[in-house]
């Protein structure tokens, strides 16, 4: 079976080192298996994503030497243009009796005692799962705009991650009914990513471990919508040499700064060295790494970004 992978960046800001690591390894995973690379722009959030940032992102990928075979800055691969497709999936979930409006305010969702996930987000209590028609109308009359949630079963879902191994979650206890449409009408990431990965024929998803905890939800949604879930490969998180986690908040690691400091080959060499693909640091192009790529070389613990 042909490997079909994707880059799925969100143009809400400039790419940073973590996005680049995911992009490089997703590209190597595809190119080392003569697969097909898809570029999808995840610009669902109209407040944070702009066309200019999306164009910058595409240019940054080109600068690094990463290419793709399908997609890009075209409506068929931009989530902001795919609302009707998500609406169709939402309709199917509704017909299955799995959606309901949630009128909770932020304060209500975060009420004391609400269980938290490991990533700090709250497990939804199910407060609106059984509202009567009268209760819904009362909220509507009070001017509250609902978000829409999908009802999850009390079920353990295990994802066999191609790199990190098995990861399980009980959807009811560890995740809770999750939002698939926001109260401002925007489609939620969890729904869009599943629909798009399925319809774009994606069978390999390579991305950062910050999304590992989303994978049981997504595997379940794939199943409910009648799709086959892709094989997931989650990458360890990046740290500096003192063990501190690197994040988007480290402004000096975004590409506007990195491009002034390094050539594409120097940056690729640094990423490849940190990911275990080079025994010693050396400038290298993504192409030159294709024959060296092997998931078994990539650590499963934190990836330490070493100073070159
Ligand atoms: N758009 C997401 C991000 O940039 C990635 C989604 C995914 O890989 O599933 O963080
Ligand atoms: Zn609610």
């Amino acid at each position: 079976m042909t490997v079909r992978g994707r880059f799925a960046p969100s143009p809400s800001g400039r790419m940073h080192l973590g996005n680049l690591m995911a992009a490089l390894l997703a590209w190597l995973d595809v190119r080392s298996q003569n697969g097909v690379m898809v570029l999808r722009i995840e610009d669902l959030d109209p407040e944070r994503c702009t066309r200019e940032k999306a164009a910058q992102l595409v240019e940054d990928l080109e600068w690094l030497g990463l290419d793709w075979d399908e997609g890009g800055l075209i409506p068929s691969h931009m989530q902001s243009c795919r609302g009707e497709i998500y609406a169709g999936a939402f309709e199917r979930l509704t017909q299955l009796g799995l959606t309901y409006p949630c009128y909770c305010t932020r304060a209500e969702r975060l009420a004391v005692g609400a269980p938290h996930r490991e990533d700090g987000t709250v497990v939804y209590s199910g407060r609106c799962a059984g509202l009567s028609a009268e209760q819904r109308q009362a909220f509507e009359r009070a001017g509250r705009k609902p978000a829409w949630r999908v009802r999850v079963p009390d079920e353990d879902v295990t994802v066999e991650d191609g790199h990190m191994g098995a990861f399980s979650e009980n959807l009811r206890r560890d995740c809770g009914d999750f939002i698939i449409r926001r109260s401002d009408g925007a489609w939620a990431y969890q729904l869009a990513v599943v629909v798009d990965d399925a319809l774009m024929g994606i069978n390999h998803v390579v991305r950062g471990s910050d999304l590992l905890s989303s994978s049981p939800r997504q595997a379940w949604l794939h199943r409910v919508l009648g799709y086959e879930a892709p094989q997931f490969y989650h990458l360890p998180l990046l740290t500096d040499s003192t063990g501190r986690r690197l994040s988007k908040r480290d402004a000096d690691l975004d590409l506007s700064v990195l491009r002034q400091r390094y050539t594409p080959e120097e940056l690729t060499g640094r990423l490849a060295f940190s990911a275990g693909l080079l025994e010693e640091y050396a400038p290298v192009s993504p192409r030159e790494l294709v024959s060296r790529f092997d998931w078994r070389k990539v650590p499963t613990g934190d990836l330490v970004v070493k100073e070159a």
Side-chain angles (χ1 to χ4, degrees), residues 102-104 124 127-128:
C102 167
Y103 294 92
C104 293
Y124 181 61
R127 193 168 175 267
C128 299

Side-chain angles (χ1 to χ4, degrees), residues 275-289:
L277 301 177
L278 292 178
E279 269 149 46
E280 274 174 54
Y281 165 77
V284 67
S285 69
R287 271 283 152 217
E288 292 169 276
L289 288 170

Side-chain angles (χ1 to χ4, degrees), residues 6 8-10 19 42 189 193 197 205-207 210-211 218:
R6 40 72 154 189
S10 300
N19 303 130
E42 301 214 320
Y189 158 71
V193 76
D197 282 338
V205 166
V206 178
R207 61 187 182 188
D210 50 326
L211 290 167
Q218 293 173 8

Side-chain angles (χ1 to χ4, degrees), residues 8 45 74-75 88 114-115 117 212 231 246 276 280:
D45 188 338
I74 48 177
R117 298 170 63 87
L212 182 59
Q231 174 70 57
L246 301 179
E280 274 174 54

Side-chain angles (χ1 to χ4, degrees), residues 101-123:
C102 167
Y103 294 92
C104 293
T105 60
R106 199 180 132 76
E108 285 162 351
R109 284 196 317 273
L110 303 181
V112 264
H116 283 68
R117 298 170 63 87
E118 242 173 67
D119 60 10
T121 56
V122 162
V123 179

Side-chain angles (χ1 to χ4, degrees), residues 37-107:
M37 193 71 199
V38 178
L39 171 59
R40 177 171 75 233
I41 308 293
E42 301 214 320
D43 55 350
L44 283 173
D45 188 338
E47 277 156 34
R48 297 170 59 219
C49 299
T50 63
R51 181 86 195 185
E52 291 69 39
K53 290 183 199 164
Q56 180 65 66
L57 208 145
V58 166
E59 204 262 325
D60 281 338
L61 289 172
E62 286 169 348
W63 175 83
L64 200 71
L66 302 179
D67 62 352
W68 52 94
D69 310 302
E70 294 176 13
L73 277 177
I74 48 177
S76 59
H77 288 73
M78 298 177 70
Q79 291 188 329
S80 59
C81 302
R82 294 172 58 80
E84 277 176 35
I85 298 172
Y86 310 136
F90 180 86
E91 194 48 46
R92 268 159 60 208
L93 294 172
T94 301
Q95 278 163 10
L96 293 167
L98 293 176
T99 65
Y100 66 87
C102 167
Y103 294 92
C104 293
T105 60
R106 199 180 132 76

Side-chain angles (χ1 to χ4, degrees), residues 2 5 7 25-26 31 34-35 52 69 101 105 110 118 130 138 149 154 160 170 175 194 196 229 238 271 283 286 301:
T2 304
F7 306 122
L25 294 195
R31 293 288 176 242
N34 289 314
E52 291 69 39
D69 310 302
T105 60
L110 303 181
E118 242 173 67
R149 291 184 184 270
D154 181 5
E160 293 293 339
N170 177 286
C175 171
V194 165
D196 285 350
L238 305 185
L271 290 168

